[in-house]
Amino acid sequence: MSSAVSVMAERILVLDGSPAGDAAAGMAACVTPAPEGGYTVLTQTGAAGKQAAEGIGLLAASALQQAGWGAGHAVQPDLVAVVTGPGSFTGLRASCAMAAGYALGAGCPLVGVTRGEALRPELDAQCASSGSVNGWLLVTAARRGRVFVERAEGVQAVALADWSPLPGRWVLAGDAAASLPVEDAVFSALIQPTAIQIAAVAVARLTGQLAPRDALPLYVDPPEAKLPAAGLRSAPV
């Protein structure tokens, strides 16, 4: 890492509100480069449950306070990294909005990272050590009866009842990996990216090693909310 990159990414605020369904959770962490290389987590806060991601601002405020960064402190984050999906519609909306607010307030870059991108280095390594495999599938919870399936090529939301197994042998990871019918699977212990994994990919993207990605929610499923059958009420006069 060059000295210029070190200056740009010495204090990284990581936000993740992507987990959905029974795995729903929120996480905020303050990450810094480690002297021996790589990164280290300075502080981390988290909460489980479907309402956790909506309160990710409180988690971020707690992590920043413990780290001595942000409002009322002499130093600010110099990079905000947020997981953009796939995942909870509400969690992604809340965490991406919160990340944008913190980046604007700190005057620093904002970078989006998908769950699969954060786990890809380890998943690629597992594929290489698993013999003849076609690749990896990161399978995470969506709404009931559905899962998100992320591959190196992209992500899709599928109904388990309609899933047509891909030919070949695959490494399966993620909190819903066991629910996806795959005939010849190698199961990975990787479930959810860590703050360090997210930060590392964010810095790689910031420095041009990865293609840009907007820090906007990666919505794969359509929203559950629907317009009323009779249409919207007329505007008040």
Side-chain angles (χ1 to χ4, degrees):
M1 183 180 293
S2 70
S3 58
V5 174
S6 298
V7 170
M8 287 192 294
E10 287 190 347
R11 294 180 296 276
I12 307 164
L13 173 63
V14 174
L15 300 177
D16 184 7
S18 62
D22 292 339
M27 181 273 287
C30 294
V31 178
T32 60
E36 65 278 9
Y39 298 89
T40 186
V41 174
L42 188 61
T43 63
Q44 181 167 329
T45 58
K50 295 185 178 180
Q51 305 303 317
E54 296 179 39
I56 199 164
L58 296 176
L59 297 177
S62 176
L64 288 166
Q65 179 64 31
Q66 293 174 44
W69 301 356
H73 298 282
V75 296
Q76 300 279 348
D78 45 31
L79 172 63
V80 177
V82 62
V83 176
T84 59
S88 160
F89 184 89
T90 302
L92 295 180
R93 182 176 58 188
S95 54
C96 287
M98 187 59 59
Y102 272 109
L104 181 64
C108 70
L110 170 64
V111 175
V113 176
T114 74
R115 297 164 88 173
E117 285 175 332
L119 289 173
R120 182 169 182 173
E122 288 199 40
L123 287 170
D124 284 347
Q126 289 190 9
C127 287
S129 65
S130 296
S132 178
V133 295
N134 293 69
W136 52 264
L137 304 175
L138 179 63
V139 189
T140 51
R143 63 186 64 166
R144 188 176 299 275
R146 297 173 67 81
V147 293
F148 299 113
V149 180
E150 186 172 1
R151 297 193 271 169
E153 296 81 7
V155 61
Q156 64 183 131
V158 300
L160 290 170
D162 300 332
W163 170 257
S164 297
L166 297 172
R169 190 166 178 251
W170 296 84
V171 171
L172 262 63
D175 54 53
S179 67
L180 193 70
V182 174
E183 292 180 2
D184 190 9
V186 178
F187 285 96
S188 167
L190 295 172
I191 301 296
Q192 179 69 12
T194 66
I196 287 176
Q197 290 167 329
I198 297 165
V201 172
V203 171
R205 174 152 285 144
L206 178 68
T207 55
Q209 300 171 56
L210 292 176
R213 175 182 293 279
D214 290 335
L216 297 173
L218 177 63
Y219 294 139
V220 186
D221 258 338
E224 291 183 299
K226 293 181 173 56
L227 291 175
L232 297 174
R233 291 181 298 175
S234 302
V237 213

